[in-house]
Amino acid sequence: MKTLHLKDTAAGIARAARIIKKGGLVAFPTETVYGLGGSAEDAGSAKKIYEAKGRPSDNPLIIHIARAEDAEKYAYTTPLYYRLAKAFCPGPLTMILKKKETVPYEVTGGLDTVAVRIPSHPAARRFIEACGVAIAAPSANLSGSPSPTEAEHVAADLDGRIDAIIYGGGCDIGLESTIIRLDGDGAVILRPGAVTEEMLGRLIHVGRDETLLKKPDADLRPQAPGMKYRHYAPKVPLYLLKGPHDDVAAYMKRKLDEDPDAGVICTEADKALLRGRNVTYLPNDAEGQARRLFSLLRGYDGRDAKSILCVIPPRTGIGLAVYNRLLKAAGYNIIQVGITIPVIGLTGQSGAGKSTAAQCFEQLGGFVCDCDEIYHGLLYKNSPLCETLGALFPEAYRDGEIDRKILSATVFSDKEKLALLNRTAHGAVLDRVRELLRQAQADGKKFAAVDASQLFESGYDNECTAVVGVCAPLQARLKRITERDGIDEERALARLENQHNEDFFRVYCDEIIENDGDITSVCDKIGKITEKYVK
Ligand code: TXA
Ligand code: MG
């Protein structure tokens, strides 16, 4: 089959629409990635899509429409659908609804639900309108490889297998849309994207599919069928590097000394260290990382690299989507560098019993760092941290010391100041944690646990072998806080309200410990976790 290369002009789009009406396939640009479109009302077109991509036919397609109301023809809409469409569409959000008969089961992989999306890319919108039907479209890549963010990527994968490609330049966002399942008056994120959890969370209650950051297995099946398959993978095997930044950079440098062809994707901050080497950079901002990621991965196809090493970027905002794609692209292969003894991060809500869990690690022979204690320890009179904080927050500084009450009051209602304090304090605490862990490793300790209530906020989760979250019922937490800190229930509640809820820890942590107040059962569970991660 000869694939037509069309321009995104009126004539090009009219031509593309004629192809769709005849049951053919056209790749088209969207703001996320290029899609491979066929009529959503035609079972035959869906079959051709699966064939062209080499995609398993139980992996359903997303249908693309021009306006929110166009969904009526294909799905049972709900008030929540319209509310979210009004807030985020046209744009990178896909909603799962109950399907109507107009959508053949071939499109939905046999499911009774259908995924609906309203793209914002002008060429995509003109194309859908010209077709006059909804367009069923997966990403326009061969199944398993990174999604295409340029028309040239589509051509590399699908030239000769589809009828036409509309050339529309680079995709703005670069990662596929956020997929959500509507759930009562809230939603569950099945695939993270540019409509972030934070954005959705301002309007509705959001949860996450448990498998967003975990390797699916027989017990853990993703709710979006497609997410169980190997995905986004470059032809050369990809490994993610976990560890202190300096160690990661040094590891990359060593690898390049051994093999100048090795693939290396580092941060812009490493430019100086790796100057003159053949490496690629992820931009500093998460949006830039999202835009560049797939293109960077594809850039290694056809090169001599035997493997690609990549840094792990922070996972907040759209960073969560970047990390989700990287994990899948790497087949969950992570190399821990620098501190090579297993490090278990220990976190959870206040009063849930982190210190109890920490004691269990200690009894098992692990080295334990308590970040709270370290922070206090760094704030002695005239210490470097006191002086740094004193320069940033003079109102809380007196005679070489920091008044923590005044400091808390200063940052309490000022997000920027709070972020500045956190960056500074976390940086100092983590440097000390790394120093202590290196020492423990040299002393022959076999593993360590780092007890940190702000584990995720500080980004230290990226350096942990596994993260354990401690959860406990609200009443038990309140009781522990009021007794331990001598405050009343109202203040304890106010403190808890400012923290992440339990859902957050269930999704983010690799393991959860339910603390029912029985220390033996907590230690039993810690024992099992230690066996699993400490080889
Ligand atoms: O940004 C995007 O969403 C791009 C552009 C082209 O719109 N499309 C895209 O499609 O990424 P695709 O086919 O590569 O990914 C669709 C994902 C799959 O993981 C699939 O399992 C899930 O959506 N999905 C589709 N229908 C579903 C349904 N009814 N229930 C649950 N998951 C569904
Ligand atoms: Mg895809």
Side-chain angles (χ1 to χ4, degrees):
M1 176 187 302
K2 173 152 171 46
T3 301
L4 291 174
H5 291 198
L6 302 172
K7 293 205 178 97
D8 66 348
T9 55
I13 284 177
R15 180 96 187 254
R18 283 200 297 278
I19 295 173
I20 293 290
K21 286 176 192 159
K22 284 196 198 135
L25 303 186
V26 177
F28 63 102
T30 83
E31 71 279 17
T32 57
V33 301
Y34 273 74
L36 174 58
S39 163
E41 297 180 16
D42 175 29
S45 298
K47 281 191 189 144
K48 282 192 203 163
I49 290 176
Y50 288 109
E51 220 172 270
K53 272 183 68 94
R55 172 169 172 143
S57 62
D58 67 343
N59 185 3
L61 310 176
I62 295 175
I63 73 167
H64 297 67
I65 55 179
R67 280 167 303 268
E69 348 28 303
D70 296 346
E72 294 299 340
K73 186 174 176 195
Y74 303 101
Y76 295 95
T77 62
T78 64
L80 183 56
Y81 163 80
Y82 280 107
R83 213 174 132 216
L84 294 176
K86 189 161 176 228
F88 301 112
C89 302
L93 179 68
T94 297
M95 291 183 260
I96 313 281
L97 296 170
K98 214 166 155 15
K99 84 171 196 69
K100 289 186 175 167
E101 273 181 9
T102 32
V103 185
Y105 280 107
E106 282 77 0
V107 169
T108 65
L111 298 177
D112 286 324
T113 51
V114 59
V116 177
R117 163 159 138 73
I118 308 158
S120 62
H121 192 293
R125 299 177 63 76
R126 282 186 282 129
F127 168 59
I128 296 166
E129 283 187 354
C131 292
V133 287
I135 297 299
S139 49
N141 49 284
L142 284 175
S143 190
S145 59
S147 297
T149 55
E150 307 271 353
E152 288 74 14
H153 300 164
V154 181
D157 275 14
L158 298 177
D159 227 359
R161 302 168 75 94
I162 60 177
D163 298 286
I165 302 169
I166 301 175
Y167 274 61
C171 300
D172 244 14
I173 293 171
L175 296 180
E176 308 83 347
S177 61
T178 306
I179 303 181
I180 58 174
R181 177 169 61 73
L182 305 183
D183 187 14
D185 47 16
V188 177
I189 299 180
L190 309 189
R191 180 176 72 184
V195 172
T196 61
E197 180 174 47
E198 292 84 346
M199 289 158 74
L200 289 163
R202 274 177 223 130
L203 291 183
I204 53 167
H205 176 83
V206 272
R208 297 186 194 166
D209 185 22
E210 265 201 278
T211 63
L212 288 200
L213 302 177
K214 292 177 196 166
K215 190 173 184 167
D217 59 28
D219 296 330
L220 202 61
R221 285 180 184 277
Q223 292 184 40
M227 299 307 270
K228 71 174 177 272
Y229 293 107
R230 184 161 158 77
H231 243 313
Y232 320 117
K235 296 196 172 120
V236 179
L238 173 69
Y239 298 89
L240 305 182
L241 294 184
K242 180 178 263 191
H245 177 82
D246 293 350
D247 293 313
V248 167
Y251 186 96
M252 289 175 161
K253 207 167 165 214
R254 268 202 315 277
K255 186 83 186 175
L256 286 165
D257 285 340
E258 282 164 35
D259 172 14
D261 289 330
V264 166
I265 303 178
C266 51
T267 64
E268 292 214 72
D270 296 318
K271 264 189 181 146
L273 185 69
L274 299 167
R275 196 185 306 282
R277 313 295 188 96
N278 192 4
V279 300
T280 48
Y281 301 102
L282 273 179
N284 288 327
D285 63 306
E287 281 74 22
Q289 292 166 5
R291 194 173 307 125
R292 293 282 297 130
L293 179 67
F294 286 148
S295 182
L296 277 184
L297 292 179
R298 275 181 182 267
Y300 282 95
D301 289 356
R303 272 179 50 174
D304 277 338
K306 287 188 218 44
S307 63
I308 309 170
L309 302 175
C310 182
V311 292
I312 299 182
R315 342 175 165 169
T316 44
I318 195 176
L320 180 70
V322 175
Y323 183 55
N324 166 274
R325 306 308 193 274
L326 270 175
L327 274 178
K328 285 174 194 295
Y332 301 86
N333 280 319
I334 296 178
I335 301 176
Q336 193 163 330
V337 298
I339 293 157
T340 49
I341 54 170
V343 177
I344 311 292
L346 192 55
T347 190
Q349 288 175 304
S350 128
K354 286 197 304 297
S355 356
T356 309
Q359 278 168 24
C360 302
F361 277 118
E362 217 152 27
Q363 281 171 22
L364 289 166
F367 172 77
V368 174
C369 286
D370 178 335
C371 290
D372 230 28
E373 207 178 288
I374 292 176
Y375 181 48
H376 288 204
L378 290 173
L379 286 175
Y380 57 88
K381 195 172 165 110
N382 295 323
S383 72
L385 183 58
C386 278
E387 281 175 12
T388 311
L389 290 177
L392 296 171
F393 306 99
E395 57 275 55
Y397 186 67
R398 195 160 306 135
D399 295 335
E401 284 183 295
I402 288 291
D403 184 322
R404 291 183 65 193
K405 282 222 170 78
I406 300 181
L407 186 58
S408 304
T410 311
V411 301
F412 184 73
S413 54
D414 187 330
K415 275 201 167 150
E416 266 171 41
K417 281 191 178 164
L418 178 64
L420 180 62
L421 168 62
N422 279 343
R423 256 202 319 279
T424 315
H426 293 160
V429 169
L430 291 180
D431 280 345
R432 180 74 185 137
V433 166
R434 293 178 192 115
E435 209 178 294
L436 290 169
L437 292 180
R438 277 186 227 281
Q439 189 55 50
Q441 179 166 307
D443 291 347
K445 283 284 180 188
K446 292 283 174 285
F447 70 101
V450 176
D451 174 346
S453 54
Q454 305 245 35
L455 190 86
F456 291 110
E457 290 77 356
S458 67
Y460 191 67
D461 54 315
N462 270 354
E463 294 178 32
C464 296
T465 315
V467 177
V468 174
V470 186
C471 293
L474 179 63
Q475 275 314 317
R477 279 184 280 134
L478 283 176
K479 185 156 177 284
R480 240 175 257 140
I481 298 174
T482 49
E483 282 169 8
R484 184 188 62 196
D485 302 349
I487 57 174
D488 59 19
E489 249 194 52
E490 202 178 324
R491 280 196 51 205
L493 259 178
R495 196 189 290 174
L496 288 179
E497 249 160 40
N498 277 322
Q499 302 183 347
H500 295 296
N501 62 19
E502 216 171 288
D503 292 349
F504 174 90
F505 292 103
R506 285 188 196 284
V507 173
Y508 262 114
C509 296
D510 301 292
E511 306 287 341
I512 289 287
I513 291 190
E514 313 275 358
N515 181 4
D516 51 7
D518 174 14
I519 181 158
T520 328
S521 85
V522 171
C523 280
D524 274 358
K525 184 84 205 267
I526 297 278
K528 291 204 180 91
I529 291 172
T530 310
E531 259 169 46
K532 180 166 167 189
Y533 295 101
V534 181
K535 269 144 216 147

